[in-house]
Amino acid sequence: ILKNPVRVEVTPQSSTVDAIEQRLYKVDKGNKKLLLQEVLKDKSLDSVLVFTNTKHGADRVVKELGRAGIAAMAIHGNKGQTARIRALESFKSGAIRVLVATDIAARGIDVNELAAVVNYELPNVPETYVHRIGRTGRAGRGGEAIAFCDFGEKPLLRDIEKLIGKKVPLIEDHPYPMQNFEAPKRDKHGKIVNADDAEARQAARERK
């Protein structure tokens, strides 16, 4: 349709900012909440954006952090506009240290000097990883990008590393190393049986 179109792109979607220090933790799914609490013991991480793949997962992470005495709020599609604004303003002002978000809700979030991004769950689309960690390390400032990977997420990790053209540095010395090396359960159609989805459906039934 276009005549002599020109494509202008500042940086390729596959590129990551050098100022961002990336690190990877291989951990069992059930221990991710404990590892997140361990990571947050580093007080230099004074503003942390945590990404989950589902709304229910975001709420659960906030609840678990609350039990550990860590102030956090969630922002996702089930939250009203007022709740989203309140959560974002609380995060920007430092009233809460951790904001937990899904990808759709995180669009447009721009926080100056964000200390770290945590991929609590690896995204299904590798380009999304680049977008997520790009929230930190802005304007030449440093930042940390932390990724948790359980055994079932290893194929997602391979896709991410293939896209960015390098290995994400692995941190092996941590209290919750991966112990489960079994493939995730699949249904008769070959689809991975997601315990979180089943838990979310149960929670929805209970609310009704």
Side-chain angles (χ1 to χ4, degrees):
I1 297 172
L2 301 175
K3 295 180 180 179
N4 301 318
V6 176
R7 179 187 179 112
V8 178
E9 189 173 41
V10 177
T11 54
Q13 287 188 330
S14 61
S15 66
T16 54
V17 179
D18 291 336
I20 301 173
E21 180 189 338
Q22 299 181 63
R23 45 190 167 117
L24 171 71
Y25 293 84
K26 291 186 176 179
V27 57
D28 292 335
K29 188 173 184 178
N31 284 334
K32 285 186 177 184
K33 60 183 179 182
L34 299 175
L35 182 57
L36 180 59
Q37 293 167 24
E38 184 70 23
V39 166
L40 291 173
K41 287 180 180 178
D42 181 354
K43 299 302 181 185
S44 69
L45 304 180
D46 55 1
S47 56
V48 182
L49 180 57
V50 178
F51 281 101
T52 63
N53 292 338
T54 66
K55 304 166 192 174
H56 176 69
D59 287 335
R60 191 177 65 249
V61 170
V62 169
K63 193 176 294 184
E64 288 162 351
L65 289 174
R67 290 194 191 109
I70 299 169
M73 296 178 78
I75 182 169
H76 56 64
N78 283 356
K79 298 286 185 181
Q81 184 69 12
T82 303
R84 291 192 204 188
I85 292 172
R86 185 171 66 249
L88 191 54
E89 287 180 348
S90 297
F91 186 56
K92 287 182 174 181
S93 69
I96 59 170
R97 183 182 169 203
V98 181
L99 185 67
V100 187
T102 56
D103 290 303
I104 292 176
R107 290 176 184 170
I109 291 179
D110 190 12
V111 180
N112 292 331
E113 300 184 24
L114 179 64
V117 168
V118 176
N119 280 281
Y120 191 83
E121 296 168 320
L122 295 183
N124 295 314
V125 179
E127 286 84 1
T128 301
Y129 173 83
V130 178
H131 293 316
R132 286 180 178 183
I133 71 171
R135 305 282 174 176
T136 187
R138 299 255 177 121
R141 298 186 182 95
E144 294 192 31
I146 300 163
F148 295 170
C149 177
D150 62 45
F151 188 79
E153 293 174 311
K154 290 183 76 174
L156 302 178
L157 175 63
R158 283 196 296 269
D159 290 344
I160 289 167
E161 292 180 331
K162 182 179 179 181
L163 176 73
I164 65 177
K166 60 184 177 183
K167 293 279 187 182
V168 180
L170 177 64
I171 306 298
E172 297 186 77
D173 184 19
H174 67 87
Y176 307 102
M178 187 186 292
Q179 303 291 331
N180 180 20
F181 300 98
E182 293 182 8
K185 294 179 181 178
R186 297 178 182 269
D187 62 19
K188 60 182 179 181
H189 303 294
K191 185 178 179 181
I192 293 176
V193 177
N194 192 330
D196 289 345
D197 290 345
E199 187 180 341
R201 287 194 293 270
Q202 178 62 30
R205 283 196 293 269
E206 290 175 358
R207 284 197 297 271
K208 288 180 180 179

